[in-house]
Every structure is written in structure tokens, then in C-alpha cells.
Amino acid sequence: MKRYLVKRVLLALGILFSISLITFFILHIMPGDAVALMLGDTADPNTLETVRHNLGMDKPFPQQYLEWIMGVFTGDLGTSYFQRKPVADLLLSAFSYTAKLAVVSYIIALAVGLVVGVVSALNRGAILDRGLMTLTVVGISAPSFWIAILLQIFIGLRFKAIPISGLEAPIDYLLPCISLGLRYAASIARITRTSMLEVMGQDFIRTARAKGLSPLRTVLVHMLRNALIPIITVIGADIGTLFAGSMLTESVFNINGVGKLLVDNITKRDIPVVQGCVICVAIICVVVYLIVDLLYAVVDPNIRLGGEEA
Amino acid sequence: MKKRKEPSPVLTYRGYYRESWDLLRRDPLAMISLVIVLLLVIVAVFAPLIAPYDPDKQILSQRLMKPCMEHWFGCDEHGRDILSRCIYGCRISLSVGLVSQIIATVIGYFMGVCAGYFGGKVDAAISFLVQVFSSLPDLLLAMALMFALGRGLVNLYISLGVLAWSRTARLIRGTVLQLKEKEYVKSCRVDGGSNLRIILRHLLPNCIPTLIITITMGIPSAILSEASLSFLGLGVRAPMSSWGDMISASRAFMGSDGSKWFYSFFPGLCMIVAVIAFNTLGDGLRDALDPKLRK
């Protein structure tokens, strides 16, 4: 287990390092000149040169990268070109919104998805099952920002009590969480259903029934618990897209999270902020995958004993 | 998985793809989605013939006109016909889906084959790259690339194509690992066949079913990514506009009571239809092409 742990942590660090290198490279080959944009068309070449020098943009690429990555280790992600504030501070205040939005949405999605999946599986083939599964197909295929706009139009603008922007009061969470969580609720429901159907056909369920356990207990303790393993896999894989989805949801609902910070600064070409946002999301994704992998190793001895999958 | 009703005598085996087609033909959902996909392709190719109006013609008296007999989907803020714009948008979405997936497939096949076939250090390096690329949300890197390259159709192809290869590579690697141990591959090697010959003559034909499935399943996610990028203002250049651009533009014109719902609604509806059709077709193809599921 110890060896697996070390191997997996080193891999995660390697992945993070590569991502930082790739994004740094991508963001620094762009043709548009941030300094020219910042100072306007009328700036004279000397001023441009000075500003470039002050921002360290005239140094060779490897040196710029090294200085930046050293900063990352000490928690210094550079300074925003336009807002003149440390990127780390901007990220910290934005992150709390994104985390709140993502966590609340996902918990609701998980609850709804599990219930829908279990109900569907228990009513397999019935109209209820078919109706719910059709809805999940729509839920998976619909872009979250479109759902968000439709919710604003058909609910937010019709019922004045439900706000369509910001994320302060509990009621503010309603529409953003539905639009962000819908896709996850749908995919969790589908997987729960499949996984439940697999477990339902097995002998130990028949035994549980034969023992005279109540149907509710059979479903919850014996079926759902065993059906959970594939669901956990999906949860791990969802985290990355959850952040991507929250970028769009934040833009639609005007929530000052990491996604909105990133999108706003992409149009302004504020490279340090963009870079900080990307690396922040990357760290979260890689850490979550790492935790999920380690959890697996705890559950499944095949992995920690070094069985190489084909 | 479909079970065939009549027994199929072994002697009438008519080849892998004919058999697959027979299976696909029996799957009503897959056939419906195939028809929708073909219709979308026809709409995209013959957009100028099908669109009832010029998509860029502005008639200000028709500003934000509600859907009616003349304009089924209504008109946008410049009085342009939304249906015609959706029809032209179909071109962009389908072409981004297809071209980006072809780029991804070429890269993914090459990487996957090298990893699976050569093994060892090559495999370790490529598998590491696959992990790097699959541990970030696609949209995030695509945003960074579009940011660097600038808006435009070709840049969309590139950004979505070069980032989507990791899934293909992983699947192909798995397939090749199994194929490598097959007798015909070994006998070709014993006969002195070069690596290139094995990769092209023996491995490629056997990977084609996997590639067909990954392309079909990759198109809808590329369409969704394109829409998200366009929505964030990182898509094609004006006056071209994709479904995502239209939804993005519609945000400023919802009407204070939501009466202009049609402007946001219809482009998204087109997108959902396309995404569901490709996904369902992909599911059907997977069932029909996967030999493991065959009886």
C-alpha cells in the first residue's frame, strides 16, 4: 500500500507539473500583446518596453516559467495586470463561491440522481421508468448554459421572488444549482439504475428477501450499498467537468466565482489571472482524482498489490 | 444487447460489417437517430437551398418578431430569421464536430498504437501524456488554446481536435494490447513483416470499429464544447454564428417578462436534437459493432 501511495502521489505531481508547463506555454505564445492592449494604441514604444520590462515579459521563456513556478510553491501566483492585486487573493475570494455552488449542486444532484435511479430500477420497464430515463437523456445532452437561460426566462422572470443573479441568500442557489446539477443528476440516475439492476438479479438479494427483511431494508442496505461502487467512479470523474460547467453557470448567473474570473480575464488578456485560474482548477482536479484512486486501492486489493491493468 | 429471433446458421456468415449493419437495422432507436443525423448532414450541406431567408439579411421592422407562419423560429435583434440562422449554424456545429474528431482520431490512433504495440518506455511516456490530458476538463484547455490562437473556425477545429485525442488513444491502446497476441500478428512478425506493415495491414482494420464508435461519440461532446466556447465568446468570428453564439447573443434580449424566449430556445433545441441523435447512434453502433456483445 505504501509503495502504491508513493507511486500515485509522484504521478499526480508529475501530471500537475506537466499541466503547468503546457498552460504556461499556450498562454505565452498568443499573438495579441497584453501590454499594448493595456496601454492603448497611443502608447509610445519606449513606455511599452518599460512596462514589458517591469512585468518581466522581456525575459526568456524558460526563466519566466521558472520564476512563476517558484512563486506557485510559495503561494505567489503573480499580480493581475489590470486590477493590480495579487492573483492568489482574487482566486481565494472567487473560490469560495465556486466551491459553494459546485458542492451544493452536486449534493442535490447526487440525492436526486440516486432516488431517480432506484425508483427507475424498481419499476423497470414501466411508464415511470421510461419517462424518467427519457428525461435523463435530455438532461445529459442539454448544455448547462442553455438550461440556465431557460430557467431565467421561464422561472426567474415570471416569479419575481426567485433571483436570476448573484449567490448570497439561500434562494439564490435555486436556479444555478438546477442548471449546473441537472446533467450530473441525469448521469448518476442512469448509472444507479444500471448498477441496481445488476445487483437485483443476484443471489444474496433473494436470500435477503427470503430471510424476511423488509423491502425498504433490502433496497437500501443490500442493493444500494452494493450498487454504489460504480457510482463512486462517476463522482470522481465528474469533478473536472463540474468545474468546467460552473464556469458557464457563473457567467450566466453573474456569480463571482473562479469561472467568471477566468472568463472575464480571458477577454481582457490578463495572463497571470488566467494562468492562476487554470492551475487552481488543475490542482483541484488532480487532487480529487488522487483521492478517488487511493479510495479504490483501499476498497480493491487488486490495485494496491500492483496488478497492472491491461 | 439484441437477441436475434431466427437462428442464424454459421454457413451464411456474410462478413463483419454486413452482420453489424443487420444488427443496427434491428435497433429502432439507432435507426431513428441515423435518419436524424443524415437529415442534419443534408441540412448542413444544402443550407443555402434549404434556408427560407438570407441568414444575414437585417429587416429592422421585424426586430425580435415572435414565431409566426413566415418566421417559424421568430427573428433576432436585427430582424434576421432565426430558423435560417439555425440552419447555417448547423454547418458550423457539424463541421467542428467532424473535423475535430478526425484530428483527434488521427493523433489518438497513432499514440494508442505506438503505446500498445511498442510497450515499454514508449507506452509509459504516452500513457503519462494521456493522463495529463485527461485530468483537466477539456473545456479549460480548449479555452486557453482559443485564447492563444484567437477566434475562428480553423482554430476551433485545432483546439477541440488536439485536446480530444486522449480517449481514443486509451481505447486503441487497449485494443492493440489484445490484438498483439493474436496468431496472425505473430505469424506476420515471424514472416519478417515490418512494424509498419503490421500496424497498417493487421492492426488498423481491426481498430476501425473502435474508431467508428469513438468518432460518433466524440462528435456530440465536440458540439457541446464548441457551443460552450462560442457562448463564452471564444468561437467563430462574426458574422458567422453557431448555435452557441446565438444563445449567447440572446441573453441581452430576453424581454423583461421572458416574452422573447424563442430567441434562446430554438438554437438550443437544435443542439439538443443533434447531440441526442449522435449519442444514440453511437450507442447503437457500439452494440452492433462490438464482437464481445455478439452471440
Side-chain angles (χ1 to χ4, degrees), chain A residues 8 11 14-15 18-19 22-23 26-27 29-32 137-138 140-143 145-146 149-150 152-154 157-158 160 183 240-241 243-245 247-248 251-253 262-263 265-267 269-271 274 277-278 281-282 285-286 289 308-310, chain B residues 128-129 131-141 143-150 163 173-174 177 224 227-229 231-234 243-244 247-248 250-251 254-261 264-269 271-272 275-276 279-280 283:
Chain A
R8 196 59 195 74
L11 179 69
I15 290 174
S18 314
I19 290 174
I22 293 171
T23 51
I26 291 177
L27 295 178
I29 52 163
M30 60 167 216
V137 172
V138 177
I140 289 174
S141 309
F145 60 89
W146 184 63
I149 292 174
L150 292 190
Q152 288 185 328
I153 291 178
F154 290 112
L157 292 175
R158 300 269 153 97
K160 297 293 172 211
R183 143 168 310 211
T241 53
F243 273 95
M247 286 196 273
L248 296 157
S251 302
V252 177
F253 289 103
L262 175 62
V263 173
N265 284 289
I266 273 192
T267 31
R269 304 206 151 252
D270 195 335
I271 301 177
V274 173
C277 291
V278 175
V281 175
C285 291
V286 171
Y289 291 145
E308 183 75 13
E309 49 168 338
Chain B
F128 178 71
L129 266 185
Q131 274 183 307
V132 169
F133 276 90
S134 50
S135 49
L136 262 191
D138 281 354
L139 190 61
L140 194 71
L141 269 185
M143 279 172 76
L145 259 181
M146 285 306 286
F147 168 68
L149 299 171
L163 297 176
R173 176 181 173 271
L177 278 179
L224 283 177
S228 308
L229 286 173
F231 182 75
L232 297 173
L234 293 165
W243 297 330
I247 298 175
S248 179
S250 75
R251 285 181 61 201
M254 293 175 185
S256 56
D257 54 351
S259 59
K260 310 292 184 223
W261 56 273
S264 317
F265 181 74
F266 288 114
L269 190 68
M271 198 174 351
I272 284 206
V275 170
I276 294 182
N279 273 333
T280 318
D283 280 340

Side-chain angles (χ1 to χ4, degrees), chain B:
Chain B
M1 204 189 339
K2 293 264 175 296
K3 275 209 181 110
R4 322 180 64 172
K5 290 224 171 81
E6 71 276 23
S8 131
V10 181
L11 286 175
T12 61
Y13 184 74
R14 293 172 304 146
Y16 177 72
Y17 288 99
R18 296 272 311 250
E19 292 273 301
S20 302
W21 168 242
D22 279 351
L23 279 177
L24 190 68
R25 234 174 31 184
R26 273 162 232 257
D27 182 349
L29 273 178
M31 287 320 281
I32 295 171
S33 48
L34 181 63
V35 170
I36 296 175
V37 166
L38 289 177
L39 278 177
L40 286 169
V41 172
I42 292 172
V43 165
V45 174
F46 299 106
L49 299 177
I50 293 169
Y53 299 94
D54 177 352
D56 298 323
K57 186 161 186 212
Q58 306 188 358
I59 301 172
L60 289 179
S61 61
Q62 294 177 355
R63 211 170 165 270
L64 294 170
M65 196 156 102
K66 288 198 164 170
C68 57
M69 283 313 286
E70 284 76 39
H71 300 278
W72 291 2
F73 288 3
C75 293
D76 69 3
E77 79 273 23
H78 297 298
R80 299 175 293 191
D81 182 45
I82 292 178
L83 174 61
S84 305
R85 294 180 70 72
C86 282
I87 289 173
Y88 274 81
C90 183
R91 286 188 145 178
I92 298 172
S93 293
L94 288 201
S95 77
V96 167
L98 194 65
V99 177
S100 70
Q101 284 311 302
I102 289 173
I103 297 175
T105 304
V106 171
I107 305 176
Y109 176 73
F110 176 75
M111 294 288 217
V113 161
C114 287
Y117 185 74
F118 294 110
K121 282 195 179 133
V122 180
D123 185 19
I126 291 175
S127 295
F128 178 71
L129 266 185
V130 166
Q131 274 183 307
V132 169
F133 276 90
S134 50
S135 49
L136 262 191
D138 281 354
L139 190 61
L140 194 71
L141 269 185
M143 279 172 76
L145 259 181
M146 285 306 286
F147 168 68
L149 299 171
R151 301 179 69 150
L153 194 57
V154 178
N155 292 345
L156 270 177
Y157 296 155
I158 298 172
S159 305
L160 293 175
V162 298
L163 297 176
W165 62 272
S166 58
R167 209 166 63 98
T168 315
R170 192 167 19 199
L171 287 171
I172 291 295
R173 176 181 173 271
T175 314
V176 169
L177 278 179
Q178 288 168 6
L179 291 174
K180 205 165 73 166
E181 302 305 320
K182 291 268 178 351
E183 287 77 10
Y184 54 82
V185 175
K186 284 183 176 162
S187 86
C188 181
R189 196 177 306 149
V190 173
D191 280 350
S194 67
N195 287 336
L196 194 65
R197 189 184 158 82
I198 293 174
I199 288 175
L200 292 180
R201 275 295 301 275
H202 295 289
L203 299 183
L204 182 58
N206 284 297
C207 287
I208 282 181
T210 313
L211 294 180
I212 293 176
I213 298 165
T214 49
I215 291 180
T216 321
M217 302 286 241
I219 287 176
S221 60
I223 290 178
L224 283 177
S225 299
E226 181 275 329
S228 308
L229 286 173
S230 298
F231 182 75
L232 297 173
L234 293 165
V236 291
R237 282 175 200 275
M240 261 199 266
S241 70
S242 72
W243 297 330
D245 289 306
M246 296 171 72
I247 298 175
S248 179
S250 75
R251 285 181 61 201
F253 304 97
M254 293 175 185
S256 56
D257 54 351
S259 59
K260 310 292 184 223
W261 56 273
F262 53 88
Y263 189 3
S264 317
F265 181 74
F266 288 114
L269 190 68
C270 296
M271 198 174 351
I272 284 206
V273 169
V275 170
I276 294 182
F278 275 104
N279 273 333
T280 318
L281 180 62
D283 280 340
L285 281 172
R286 191 181 49 205
D287 291 345
L289 286 169
D290 193 338
K292 270 176 267 166
L293 295 177
R294 277 205 196 156
K295 286 279 176 221

Side-chain angles (χ1 to χ4, degrees), chain A residues 113-124:
Chain A
L114 282 175
V115 170
V116 170
V118 170
V119 168
S120 264
L122 293 178
N123 294 287
R124 184 187 189 179

